[in-house]
Amino acid sequence: MSDGPRTVGAAPGPSARRRVTGTSSPTRQAPPAAGAAPSPPVESVPGTPPASAPADAPATRGFLARAALLTAVLSAAGALLGLVRDQTLARMFGAGSATDAFLVAWTVPEFAATLLIEDGLAIALIPAFSMALARRAGGAAGDPVRSLVAHTLPRLALAFAAVGALLAVLAPQVVGVLAPGLPDPGLAVDCTRLTATCVLSFGLAGYCSAALRAHRRFLAPAAIYVAYNTGIITAVLLLGGRWGVRAAAAGVAFGGCLMVLAQVPVLWRELRHKGAAAARPATGAGDGRAMGVALLAAVLLFALCRQSQVLIERFLGSALPAGAISHLNFAQKIAQIPMTLSLMLCTVTFPVVARALAEGDTERARGRVERDLALAASMVLAGGAVVVACAPQIVELLLQRGAFTARDTAATVEVMRVYALGLLAHTLVGALIRSYFSAGRVTWFPLGAMAAGLAVTAVAGAWAVGPWGVRGIAAANAAGITVTAALLMAGLAGRGVPIRTRRVWAQLARPVGAAVPATLAGAWAAGRSGSPLLALTAGAVTVAVVFLPLGRALGDQGCVTALQSLRSVSRRLPHGRTR
């Protein structure tokens, strides 16, 4: 289930450029308005809310750090509520045929989240809004931002509504294709018709998120998965006893509406305020060129192909004993938490890279992308080490209650550890795809790379599901996404940000070298205690104690940055207590 784990203009003066590029920590990067004109920096004021800054002003280190922290905190809160949601589903419905039916219907919001909120629509919209902001800052007639909204939002909303209605009508056929082996397809059809509404709600939520981030409004976009998961949990608790698993599908529809409502008032105020001084609306096709049909198709088809891995997994899993799809789902969602958190870094720095390319500063864009890849890899490998080392304790603490039995825990643990083998590749794919499209240019290479990885997943999964069951499906997922990551890394030069591939591979090897012994040490520590909570704590602490110093000794940039941040915080704590 997607929690969230799963976005050009006038160049500033040299001093402003130095302010933007002088950071190396991921907590110092967040999306500036990619059309900002030179103006005085926004000063970092201790204690002020990090939710916004003028869209025309260069972002300072203090603002970027606060914005990144806000995004991380709210995204982590959404991920935590996602775990509570999964706990609620496991407790009330277990891992049987009813949950399998709902998870087939859950394919719709999973695809919609990837296509319309995370990796699809936002990658095309943020450069478009950045260009409109640049034209506004350059004194273009009317308000190019409002003109962009007027030209794109009604058409996209109509398309979203039409696709959602079509899915609802064709729900029996959709379920038949996705999971032909389901024992109760009627339940899955009912759930699919309810979840089909999220095509419209997720599309509108993704549109609002991209527009707000381009305007440096981060609070509402970061909170959407808090609202979404709250809606699902509420519906399950209130209606689960009467409606069964259909209540979860109704919660998806309700949560999608909450995602939109959390952002529309903020975006309306922003557009109304910024457009108040416009003398006349800007006209002409120039406002829409930044998000042409070809670019939108290239981005959405890539995201669709990537998410199709889930289709392969559920197609293969539907022929296995009841509960197989549920075990795959729970294992994947827990294992991907480190990936979701690490990719937040790339989400907030995407507009920074886009702006650098628009200004012709390729060196700055390359440095930012290379740092993002190194830091994201360190984060996901450290988290993946904890997932592998403490998998039994994590699943027992999060899911083993009610209808979710110890047998379900054991099956989920096996799958989760296999899934973890592909976490680094999943993270690299999520980071690299932004680099391909950050300049707003059309390229079909990512789609080809993802199609090759998908073919590997399908062939390997069909071969491995017989002897190894759900573990074989998870291994095929890891193999396919690894192929895609390698192809994207090799093909970036000449198609996106020209990173130094050999240097990046060397950087990635360092956290891998630290993660292997950290995982073994963490598993040993976790096995010393009979209490799941104490064992998880001991395992996680041991992973950190081994991973950080060893990574620093190997020269891993992520470990060096983390240790520097810890020292900085420890130095400030006494000062904070005496103020």
Side-chain angles (χ1 to χ4, degrees):
M1 303 175 196
S2 180
D3 303 313
R6 95 64 126 340
T7 108
V8 211
S15 61
R17 181 172 296 181
R18 284 192 296 271
R19 282 192 297 270
V20 174
T21 60
T23 61
S24 60
S25 167
T27 58
R28 293 179 178 177
Q29 296 293 338
S39 57
V42 181
E43 295 299 331
S44 173
V45 181
T48 57
S52 63
D56 313 0
T60 62
R61 293 183 183 182
F63 170 74
L64 292 175
R66 295 196 308 270
L69 179 61
L70 174 74
T71 301
V73 169
L74 287 177
S75 297
L80 180 61
L81 281 175
L83 289 177
V84 174
R85 174 203 66 207
D86 289 347
Q87 287 178 327
T88 306
L89 290 171
R91 179 175 61 84
M92 294 197 68
F93 310 119
S97 58
T99 305
D100 285 353
F102 167 69
L103 291 176
V104 171
W106 186 273
T107 304
V108 176
E110 279 185 321
F111 268 76
T114 299
L115 292 172
L116 305 177
I117 298 178
E118 296 162 11
D119 293 339
L121 191 64
I123 293 177
L125 277 174
I126 285 179
F129 274 102
S130 297
M131 185 175 292
L133 285 166
R135 296 184 66 245
R136 174 199 281 170
D143 186 348
V145 177
R146 294 183 68 179
S147 180
L148 175 64
V149 173
H151 278 86
T152 57
L153 181 57
R155 298 172 186 176
L156 287 173
L158 182 61
F160 299 150
V163 172
L166 185 63
L167 279 174
V169 171
L170 299 179
Q173 291 76 18
V174 171
V175 170
V177 171
L178 292 179
L182 277 182
D184 184 8
L187 180 59
V189 169
D190 291 345
C191 292
T192 299
R193 284 176 171 151
L194 287 168
T195 59
T197 59
C198 74
V199 176
L200 176 60
S201 59
F202 280 27
L204 296 177
Y207 191 98
C208 293
S209 294
L212 288 172
R213 288 192 176 109
H215 284 84
R216 296 190 191 171
R217 299 297 186 261
F218 304 109
L219 178 61
I224 59 174
Y225 284 107
V226 174
Y228 175 60
N229 287 319
T230 299
I232 297 176
I233 294 168
T234 301
V236 171
L237 293 178
L238 293 180
L239 303 174
R242 287 177 290 171
W243 291 9
V245 79
R246 291 179 180 85
V252 170
F254 178 49
C257 295
L258 293 181
M259 295 170 83
V260 180
L261 293 176
Q263 298 181 97
V264 165
V266 183
L267 181 58
W268 172 253
R269 288 196 301 268
E270 184 68 24
L271 295 175
R272 184 179 181 185
H273 170 69
K274 294 296 183 182
R280 65 184 185 277
T283 59
D287 297 312
R289 281 199 298 263
M291 195 185 69
V293 174
L295 174 62
L296 189 60
V299 174
L300 292 181
L301 285 174
F302 168 85
L304 180 66
C305 191
R306 182 181 182 186
Q307 193 62 27
S308 294
Q309 283 191 313
V310 176
L311 297 182
I312 294 173
E313 293 176 7
R314 291 183 180 164
F315 180 86
L316 295 174
S318 67
L320 296 175
I325 294 177
S326 299
H327 298 147
L328 284 164
N329 172 77
F330 290 131
Q332 186 181 66
K333 295 308 172 286
I334 296 174
Q336 287 186 351
I337 290 174
M339 179 199 74
T340 302
L341 295 177
S342 65
L343 282 179
M344 281 190 295
L345 167 65
C346 303
T347 298
V348 298
T349 58
F350 176 36
V352 176
V353 176
R355 177 171 176 173
L357 290 176
E359 295 168 358
D361 194 346
T362 303
E363 186 64 29
R364 175 156 62 101
R366 177 170 62 187
R368 180 69 262 169
V369 170
E370 290 180 354
R371 286 194 297 272
D372 286 352
L373 289 172
L375 294 170
S378 296
M379 293 171 64
V380 76
L381 286 170
V386 175
V387 166
V388 174
C390 307
Q393 294 80 17
I394 293 173
V395 177
E396 182 176 351
L397 284 171
L398 294 179
L399 301 177
Q400 189 175 314
R401 55 183 56 84
F404 198 92
T405 65
R407 180 183 176 188
D408 293 322
T409 294
T412 303
V413 166
E414 289 183 354
V415 181
M416 193 164 77
R417 282 175 164 162
V418 178
Y419 264 130
L421 299 176
L423 283 181
L424 177 59
H426 276 289
T427 302
L428 292 178
V429 170
L432 289 169
I433 189 59
R434 290 167 171 83
S435 300
Y436 274 93
F437 293 107
S438 54
R441 292 193 295 266
V442 179
T443 173
W444 299 99
F445 183 84
L447 176 61
M450 192 66 245
L454 191 66
V456 172
T457 299
V459 173
W463 172 77
V465 68
W468 294 304
V470 288
R471 290 173 297 173
I473 296 174
N477 177 295
I481 201 64
T482 300
V483 170
T484 298
L487 290 174
L488 289 178
M489 185 79 77
L492 189 57
R495 298 181 179 87
V497 181
I499 63 173
R500 293 160 288 196
T501 306
R502 291 184 179 179
R503 179 176 177 177
V504 170
W505 282 122
Q507 289 176 340
L508 296 177
R510 294 165 185 168
V512 171
V516 173
T519 302
L520 296 174
W524 177 86
R528 301 304 97 189
S529 174
S531 166
L533 181 58
L534 292 177
L536 174 59
T537 303
V541 171
T542 302
V543 167
V545 168
V546 175
F547 183 85
L548 290 175
L550 184 55
R552 181 184 179 185
L554 294 173
D556 175 50
Q557 185 177 350
C559 292
V560 171
T561 301
L563 290 171
Q564 288 175 345
S565 300
L566 289 174
R567 284 198 299 269
S568 176
V569 170
S570 65
R571 285 197 301 267
R572 293 178 183 178
L573 284 176
H575 175 68
R577 287 193 296 266
T578 58
R579 287 187 59 150

